[in-house]
Amino acid sequence: MTAVGATARATALVTVVIASCSSGAETAGSATPLAQASATPTTSISTTPPPTAPTLEDALGRTLEDWYGTGDIGGAVAAIGLADGSMHIATTGQAAPGEPAMPDDTMRIGSITKTYMAALTLRLADLGALGLDDSVSTHLPDLAIDDTITIRDLLAHTSGVTDPDPAELIVLFRADSGQRFEFDDLLAFANVPTAVEQQPAGFVYANAGYHVLGGVIEAASGTDVATALRKHVLDPAGLTRTHLAGAETTPAAIVPGNVDLDGDGREDSLAGIPYLAVETHAWTAGALVATAEDLIAFARSLFDGSIISADALDEMTDTSSDAHGHGLGIFDLGIDGRAAYGNSGGGPGFHANLAHAPTGEITAVVFTNCPSCPAGGQDSWQVLVDLLDLAEASASTTS
């Protein structure tokens, strides 16, 4: 790999930002006479232990390694949560150069952040701090936005708020990948409709809509998003290893990503390269970091009523009117005809997937800090399906 200086690596990173926006052989037993000196025939007893079925941990580890491979760059984490409350986590590869991936690594989860922000918004609705059908302008009167656009529209990606041309951001990112973007900066980047006729029809996925939602959350809660999220979502769910990067201190180091910064065809570690511009530009649309255990705990809490009411969950998971399978901050994944909800997130050097099947109360997580590294040829969504299958099979054998 060609050495690159910090400035050049940071410049390459921001270009990538725009482009990407874890047995012994069985031995034969022999008959052992109980009384070899006796002329009377004796019964033989085998000392060979019966073969044991592969454990869930074995199967989980094999699934992960079959997908990711055994390369020397980056790594991956796969996790399963079962209805009995148990969690099973496998790792492979490296979290950072020379450091093996660990079950408790803190990972960037990208747009899975939107599911947390939707849960926070629905919790505020449960508390009466806002209504899903409130106009955005009611909470953000200084924002020039069509007053027919509602909070529900922001959550559902039907507001007409769209993302900026990536070229507009490259210049700013190249200037300083360690700079901080504020809410007003994000609004200035966004395309915000000021009249009904400006709105595109139907579903248009956009980070910018969730940036506007962040402003609504702060106005309705009377505090910053990170504080509101911790009070209403993270603390009730017991999530101590989940943080909004760029907005609050993360106690544990965040797993760095891996991308090809210098064009030599080999991924480079982003360790040591400023990431603040990416974090603060993602903000409420994609800046959360979490452990695999916390991701599973969040999904459980979301669906068991610990965070939002049953009525709010019904609203969140209602995808009947959207051809894309999107509800409010969450997708119906449509996995093999079974009900499963979740989201995915990616960015420079990482990708994460989360799925929860409410019927069997099982959850699956896949994360990698080198999206281009998996050698198995499978899409990460297929790995998620494989994990759900493993979880269901394990649950059926233990029930």
Side-chain angles (χ1 to χ4, degrees), residues 237-254:
L239 308 181
T240 61
R241 298 289 301 276
T242 302
H243 302 274
L244 190 62
E248 59 182 343
T249 301
T250 56
I254 302 169

PDB file of all heavy atoms in Angstrom, residues 237-254:
ATOM      1  N   ALA A 237     -34.235   1.466  27.734  1.00  0.00           N
ATOM      2  CA  ALA A 237     -33.856   0.171  27.174  1.00  0.00           C
ATOM      3  C   ALA A 237     -32.562  -0.367  27.764  1.00  0.00           C
ATOM      4  O   ALA A 237     -32.130  -1.468  27.416  1.00  0.00           O
ATOM      5  CB  ALA A 237     -33.707   0.292  25.653  1.00  0.00           C
ATOM      6  N   GLY A 238     -31.921   0.389  28.653  1.00  0.00           N
ATOM      7  CA  GLY A 238     -30.675  -0.051  29.276  1.00  0.00           C
ATOM      8  C   GLY A 238     -29.493  -0.069  28.326  1.00  0.00           C
ATOM      9  O   GLY A 238     -28.580  -0.888  28.473  1.00  0.00           O
ATOM     10  N   LEU A 239     -29.474   0.856  27.384  1.00  0.00           N
ATOM     11  CA  LEU A 239     -28.426   0.872  26.361  1.00  0.00           C
ATOM     12  C   LEU A 239     -27.306   1.824  26.776  1.00  0.00           C
ATOM     13  O   LEU A 239     -27.357   3.024  26.523  1.00  0.00           O
ATOM     14  CB  LEU A 239     -29.010   1.294  25.012  1.00  0.00           C
ATOM     15  CG  LEU A 239     -30.254   0.507  24.555  1.00  0.00           C
ATOM     16  CD1 LEU A 239     -30.730   1.010  23.185  1.00  0.00           C
ATOM     17  CD2 LEU A 239     -29.969  -0.982  24.514  1.00  0.00           C
ATOM     18  N   THR A 240     -26.287   1.278  27.391  1.00  0.00           N
ATOM     19  CA  THR A 240     -25.190   2.098  27.904  1.00  0.00           C
ATOM     20  C   THR A 240     -24.029   2.214  26.922  1.00  0.00           C
ATOM     21  O   THR A 240     -23.094   2.977  27.160  1.00  0.00           O
ATOM     22  CB  THR A 240     -24.662   1.518  29.222  1.00  0.00           C
ATOM     23  OG1 THR A 240     -24.166   0.183  28.995  1.00  0.00           O
ATOM     24  CG2 THR A 240     -25.768   1.460  30.266  1.00  0.00           C
ATOM     25  N   ARG A 241     -24.072   1.457  25.823  1.00  0.00           N
ATOM     26  CA  ARG A 241     -22.975   1.467  24.856  1.00  0.00           C
ATOM     27  C   ARG A 241     -23.417   2.018  23.509  1.00  0.00           C
ATOM     28  O   ARG A 241     -22.869   1.675  22.468  1.00  0.00           O
ATOM     29  CB  ARG A 241     -22.424   0.042  24.686  1.00  0.00           C
ATOM     30  CG  ARG A 241     -21.834  -0.566  25.960  1.00  0.00           C
ATOM     31  CD  ARG A 241     -20.515   0.075  26.351  1.00  0.00           C
ATOM     32  NE  ARG A 241     -19.536  -0.059  25.294  1.00  0.00           N
ATOM     33  CZ  ARG A 241     -18.774  -1.136  25.101  1.00  0.00           C
ATOM     34  NH1 ARG A 241     -18.904  -2.176  25.906  1.00  0.00           N
ATOM     35  NH2 ARG A 241     -17.894  -1.177  24.124  1.00  0.00           N
ATOM     36  N   THR A 242     -24.453   2.864  23.533  1.00  0.00           N
ATOM     37  CA  THR A 242     -24.964   3.504  22.322  1.00  0.00           C
ATOM     38  C   THR A 242     -24.830   5.010  22.480  1.00  0.00           C
ATOM     39  O   THR A 242     -25.247   5.569  23.504  1.00  0.00           O
ATOM     40  CB  THR A 242     -26.434   3.130  22.081  1.00  0.00           C
ATOM     41  OG1 THR A 242     -26.547   1.709  21.982  1.00  0.00           O
ATOM     42  CG2 THR A 242     -26.954   3.757  20.789  1.00  0.00           C
ATOM     43  N   HIS A 243     -24.260   5.678  21.472  1.00  0.00           N
ATOM     44  CA  HIS A 243     -24.001   7.110  21.562  1.00  0.00           C
ATOM     45  C   HIS A 243     -24.175   7.783  20.206  1.00  0.00           C
ATOM     46  O   HIS A 243     -23.987   7.146  19.158  1.00  0.00           O
ATOM     47  CB  HIS A 243     -22.593   7.370  22.081  1.00  0.00           C
ATOM     48  CG  HIS A 243     -22.320   6.773  23.424  1.00  0.00           C
ATOM     49  ND1 HIS A 243     -22.615   7.400  24.611  1.00  0.00           N
ATOM     50  CD2 HIS A 243     -21.794   5.563  23.767  1.00  0.00           C
ATOM     51  CE1 HIS A 243     -22.285   6.618  25.626  1.00  0.00           C
ATOM     52  NE2 HIS A 243     -21.793   5.501  25.136  1.00  0.00           N
ATOM     53  N   LEU A 244     -24.538   9.067  20.248  1.00  0.00           N
ATOM     54  CA  LEU A 244     -24.646   9.854  19.026  1.00  0.00           C
ATOM     55  C   LEU A 244     -23.295  10.512  18.771  1.00  0.00           C
ATOM     56  O   LEU A 244     -22.968  11.547  19.347  1.00  0.00           O
ATOM     57  CB  LEU A 244     -25.754  10.908  19.154  1.00  0.00           C
ATOM     58  CG  LEU A 244     -26.127  11.644  17.872  1.00  0.00           C
ATOM     59  CD1 LEU A 244     -26.677  10.680  16.821  1.00  0.00           C
ATOM     60  CD2 LEU A 244     -27.140  12.745  18.158  1.00  0.00           C
ATOM     61  N   ALA A 245     -22.497   9.885  17.915  1.00  0.00           N
ATOM     62  CA  ALA A 245     -21.132  10.365  17.664  1.00  0.00           C
ATOM     63  C   ALA A 245     -21.163  11.779  17.099  1.00  0.00           C
ATOM     64  O   ALA A 245     -21.998  12.130  16.275  1.00  0.00           O
ATOM     65  CB  ALA A 245     -20.435   9.424  16.688  1.00  0.00           C
ATOM     66  N   GLY A 246     -20.243  12.586  17.565  1.00  0.00           N
ATOM     67  CA  GLY A 246     -20.186  13.974  17.132  1.00  0.00           C
ATOM     68  C   GLY A 246     -20.979  14.897  18.019  1.00  0.00           C
ATOM     69  O   GLY A 246     -20.720  16.103  18.060  1.00  0.00           O
ATOM     70  N   ALA A 247     -21.978  14.332  18.745  1.00  0.00           N
ATOM     71  CA  ALA A 247     -22.808  15.140  19.630  1.00  0.00           C
ATOM     72  C   ALA A 247     -22.542  14.850  21.094  1.00  0.00           C
ATOM     73  O   ALA A 247     -22.910  15.640  21.956  1.00  0.00           O
ATOM     74  CB  ALA A 247     -24.286  14.903  19.321  1.00  0.00           C
ATOM     75  N   GLU A 248     -21.937  13.689  21.399  1.00  0.00           N
ATOM     76  CA  GLU A 248     -21.596  13.347  22.768  1.00  0.00           C
ATOM     77  C   GLU A 248     -20.347  12.485  22.769  1.00  0.00           C
ATOM     78  O   GLU A 248     -19.968  11.912  21.748  1.00  0.00           O
ATOM     79  CB  GLU A 248     -22.765  12.623  23.460  1.00  0.00           C
ATOM     80  CG  GLU A 248     -23.188  11.350  22.780  1.00  0.00           C
ATOM     81  CD  GLU A 248     -24.381  10.693  23.462  1.00  0.00           C
ATOM     82  OE1 GLU A 248     -24.682  11.037  24.625  1.00  0.00           O
ATOM     83  OE2 GLU A 248     -25.013   9.825  22.834  1.00  0.00           O
ATOM     84  N   THR A 249     -19.714  12.410  23.918  1.00  0.00           N
ATOM     85  CA  THR A 249     -18.483  11.634  24.045  1.00  0.00           C
ATOM     86  C   THR A 249     -18.801  10.140  23.991  1.00  0.00           C
ATOM     87  O   THR A 249     -19.763   9.678  24.598  1.00  0.00           O
ATOM     88  CB  THR A 249     -17.785  11.952  25.374  1.00  0.00           C
ATOM     89  OG1 THR A 249     -17.486  13.352  25.411  1.00  0.00           O
ATOM     90  CG2 THR A 249     -16.498  11.159  25.516  1.00  0.00           C
ATOM     91  N   THR A 250     -18.004   9.408  23.242  1.00  0.00           N
ATOM     92  CA  THR A 250     -18.146   7.952  23.197  1.00  0.00           C
ATOM     93  C   THR A 250     -17.042   7.354  24.064  1.00  0.00           C
ATOM     94  O   THR A 250     -15.858   7.487  23.748  1.00  0.00           O
ATOM     95  CB  THR A 250     -18.022   7.430  21.754  1.00  0.00           C
ATOM     96  OG1 THR A 250     -16.781   7.864  21.198  1.00  0.00           O
ATOM     97  CG2 THR A 250     -19.162   7.968  20.895  1.00  0.00           C
ATOM     98  N   PRO A 251     -17.405   6.700  25.183  1.00  0.00           N
ATOM     99  CA  PRO A 251     -16.398   6.190  26.129  1.00  0.00           C
ATOM    100  C   PRO A 251     -15.428   5.202  25.503  1.00  0.00           C
ATOM    101  O   PRO A 251     -14.247   5.190  25.832  1.00  0.00           O
ATOM    102  CB  PRO A 251     -17.242   5.520  27.212  1.00  0.00           C
ATOM    103  CG  PRO A 251     -18.592   6.144  27.098  1.00  0.00           C
ATOM    104  CD  PRO A 251     -18.772   6.437  25.645  1.00  0.00           C
ATOM    105  N   ALA A 252     -15.930   4.346  24.608  1.00  0.00           N
ATOM    106  CA  ALA A 252     -15.071   3.347  23.974  1.00  0.00           C
ATOM    107  C   ALA A 252     -14.670   3.813  22.580  1.00  0.00           C
ATOM    108  O   ALA A 252     -15.404   4.558  21.920  1.00  0.00           O
ATOM    109  CB  ALA A 252     -15.799   2.004  23.889  1.00  0.00           C
ATOM    110  N   ALA A 253     -13.512   3.369  22.140  1.00  0.00           N
ATOM    111  CA  ALA A 253     -13.065   3.706  20.793  1.00  0.00           C
ATOM    112  C   ALA A 253     -14.018   3.110  19.771  1.00  0.00           C
ATOM    113  O   ALA A 253     -14.531   2.001  19.932  1.00  0.00           O
ATOM    114  CB  ALA A 253     -11.656   3.176  20.563  1.00  0.00           C
ATOM    115  N   ILE A 254     -14.272   3.866  18.708  1.00  0.00           N
ATOM    116  CA  ILE A 254     -15.151   3.403  17.636  1.00  0.00           C
ATOM    117  C   ILE A 254     -14.314   2.642  16.621  1.00  0.00           C
ATOM    118  O   ILE A 254     -13.232   3.093  16.220  1.00  0.00           O
ATOM    119  CB  ILE A 254     -15.853   4.586  16.953  1.00  0.00           C
ATOM    120  CG1 ILE A 254     -16.653   5.395  17.985  1.00  0.00           C
ATOM    121  CG2 ILE A 254     -16.763   4.095  15.837  1.00  0.00           C
ATOM    122  CD1 ILE A 254     -17.168   6.720  17.456  1.00  0.00           C
TER     123      ILE A 254
END
